[in-house]
Amino acid sequence: MSDACGCGSDEPRTGEDGAQREPERLWEVSELRFAAVSGVLLAGSLIVGWADGPAVVELVLQAVALVVGAWTFVPSTLRRLAQGKIGVGTLMTIAAVGAVILGEVGEAAMLAFLFSISEGLEEYSLARTRRGLRALLSLVPEQATVLRGGLELVVAPGELRVGDTMLVRPGERLATDGRVATGRTALDVSAITGESVPVEAGPGDEVFAGSINGTGALEVEVTSSAEDNSLARIVAIVEAEQARKGHAQRLADRIAKPLVPGVMIAAALIAVIGSLLGDPLTWIERALVVLVAASPCALAISVPVTVVAAVGAASKLGVLVKGGAALEGLGRIRQVALDKTGTLTRNRPAVIEVATTGDATREQVLAAAAALEARSEHPLARAILAAVDQPTPAADVEAVPGAGLTGQLDGHALRLGRPGWIDPGELAEATARMQAAGATAVLVESDGALLGAIAVRDELRPEAAEVVARLQRDGYRVAMLTGDNHATAAALAAQAGITEVHAELRPEDKATLIAAMRAERPTAMVGDGVNDAPALATADLGIAMGAMGTDVAIETADVALMGEDLRHLPQALDHARRARSIMLQNVGLSLAIVIVLMPLALLGVLGLAAVVAVHELAEIVVIANGVRAGRTRPLETRAPRSLHGVPVSAAVGTDRSISS
């Protein structure tokens, strides 16, 4: 759901309906199409007037331009008024009616034309699709195998009952949450918890829907229904938090809420009291001029112009900002919570250390490990194979569920596996040190003799420490949230310079923690995975690592960093703070003009023509100021990276950048 609704628009678009109607290009925004027609008609009326054409033709063109422009906000404004809601659209409607009563149909048409443009720009800046929740639910397989009455039955996940026994074969996803009854395996739970390396699971261990089974078959006792499993809870949290954000008002509406009734009351008092003390026609006319003077034309157009300029400039930096409310929110952030896997790290585990025994060399240990992993689909295999130039595959490779691999190479019996299955012997201290540093340690054995130990860990992005230091220097409080274990989280947090660390968090735990942080100060959550979706939705502002992130993270977030360089994060924050400052300048100037014009109109110092002229001049000034939000500075120390061979600036301009 969008973060805000338009000034005069009805409630935000939601659900499938919103997904179908959400505009992705300027010409798809209905408000802008109406504005274009209204503008052409207004231009026609001006030409007729300058050419001393028939007055009736000029009036008809102005009236039609008014109707077309007003159609973008008057009907929805009336619906909102019926619900007791007011906004800038309410005041613009009243101002247009007042101008018509005073005989200034052209001025009313100009108000409608300008406001329809502002509505269209705001709608365009909010363009986004809603594929995120569907991507979440796609993690649940379409069918599950259940053991009932000694038979294997294939059923839909919704037919699973608590107490059933699921059979989960290697490579399959779990259909719902459960507890392992028999079997051992390594589970890929990165989508659910963010754990960067596979998690060993055996009898008695909890397992979650959407996890991918490794090499061992499992029998899992179902502990929750499909409607109440971990993925369903993630969906519920995301939906609830996006609904909360969807009711947030944008800056212009927050100002209009007290302004509209105040202006209406003032105009009514002017008309009534003036009529009692003087000529009723004179004071009613002055009251109407006051209404026009109070119309926030500059406010209505300047904020959307600033938003579009700032959002467009951000896209050139590889930052996708989803609308004006998101931009405002980004500018207010004072606390940043960073996910570990895929955000602070690359989510590509690598060999960081090799310990050897006796005469064995580092190369021999890696070669033996790579020989076994060459035939393996284990997620750690890629890290070990990447450390060897040309691995020679072993023969007769077999996987021992929850333990490791065995095989033959050049007549030697090889084993690779976790400590405990293979005795670490003299490398016990080195193995413990590796694990304490947050790495996954595997031991390598040849013909029953220990060769060495290999430490694999998902390492920090090279710019992570620089980014954290800059955020802290700029006054942001920085914390790490992760589903990884405490040892891994603490080790990497220390390298990054982060002192506040929260580890072993489930998705709902992250959301709860973010809610607590929000109570202290405006908080942004930065993540890239399904497991981050509830926290991204719960935060004041969700930021996704777009190039590496899952669809659900990108869709749930308010901002997406489309490149792989984390330094775009502080750059985006700086850009948003500057844009928000420009917004506040425009708001201040717009309100100052209203405050000055109203008493001058009341005293008769300025007539309708003068009031309109001041408004038009103010609009030019605030639009010019808003355009300044489009100025950016590229990263200075390193050129932006590419997305799959496409420059960042080009990649974010594609349909993917809007629809994702």
Side-chain angles (χ1 to χ4, degrees), residues 330-343:
L330 188 60
R332 288 195 301 269
I333 294 303
R334 291 298 176 268
Q335 182 167 238
V336 179
L338 297 162
D339 175 53
K340 181 186 75 65
T341 306
T343 302

Side-chain angles (χ1 to χ4, degrees), residues 192-212:
I192 310 303
T193 67
E195 190 87 21
S196 56
V197 296
V199 175
E200 303 292 339
D205 291 335
E206 263 193 298
V207 290
F208 307 112
S211 302
I212 302 174

Side-chain angles (χ1 to χ4, degrees), residues 146-147 160-166 177 220-224:
V146 62
L147 302 177
L160 292 171
R161 301 189 296 267
V162 174
D164 277 344
T165 299
M166 285 190 302
D177 298 345
V220 178
E221 180 188 350
V222 174
T223 57
S224 67

Side-chain angles (χ1 to χ4, degrees), residues 511-656:
T512 301
L513 188 57
I514 287 292
M517 296 170 73
R518 280 182 52 230
E520 298 176 6
R521 63 185 75 185
T523 301
M525 172 68 193
V526 188
D528 80 314
V530 171
N531 62 296
D532 300 316
L536 290 169
T538 303
D540 292 294
L541 200 287
I543 304 175
M545 292 294 291
M548 296 291 292
T550 60
D551 281 348
V552 65
I554 298 170
E555 297 301 336
T556 305
D558 307 286
V559 175
L561 307 181
M562 300 307 293
E564 294 186 30
D565 195 330
L566 192 57
R567 291 179 304 147
H568 285 305
L569 174 59
Q571 187 181 34
L573 289 165
D574 288 347
H575 179 65
R577 288 175 78 164
R578 179 173 177 272
R580 184 168 181 265
S581 175
I582 291 173
M583 280 188 206
L584 294 176
Q585 292 170 14
N586 280 345
V587 168
L589 176 60
S590 302
L591 292 179
I593 290 170
V594 170
I595 292 171
V596 170
L597 286 182
M598 283 183 65
L600 293 177
L602 169 64
L603 298 174
V605 176
L606 294 180
L608 182 61
V611 166
V612 171
V614 174
H615 271 308
E616 300 302 328
L617 178 61
E619 287 159 15
I620 294 173
V621 172
V622 296
I623 288 172
N625 191 44
V627 169
R628 292 195 306 117
R631 299 176 186 172
T632 61
R633 287 196 301 268
L635 291 177
E636 298 175 357
T637 58
R638 187 163 68 221
R641 301 180 184 183
S642 63
L643 297 181
H644 313 299
V646 181
V648 169
S649 59
V652 297
T654 65
D655 288 349
R656 167 86 170 106

Side-chain angles (χ1 to χ4, degrees), residues 351-357 360-362 364-366 369 384 415-419 422-435 439-445 449-456:
V351 173
I352 61 170
E353 182 183 353
V354 178
T356 62
T357 62
T361 64
R362 181 180 189 276
Q364 288 174 330
V365 173
L366 287 172
I384 293 175
R415 285 205 306 166
L416 171 118
R418 60 180 177 82
I422 297 177
D423 184 3
E426 63 183 271
L427 294 180
E429 184 177 338
T431 301
R433 175 173 47 77
M434 292 174 179
Q435 294 174 325
T440 297
V442 292
L443 299 168
V444 184
E445 189 180 80
L450 185 65
L451 289 181
I454 302 173
V456 177

Side-chain angles (χ1 to χ4, degrees), residues 43 71 201 235 387 411 421 441 479 503 595 643:
W71 187 256
V235 171
W421 185 58
I595 292 171
L643 297 181

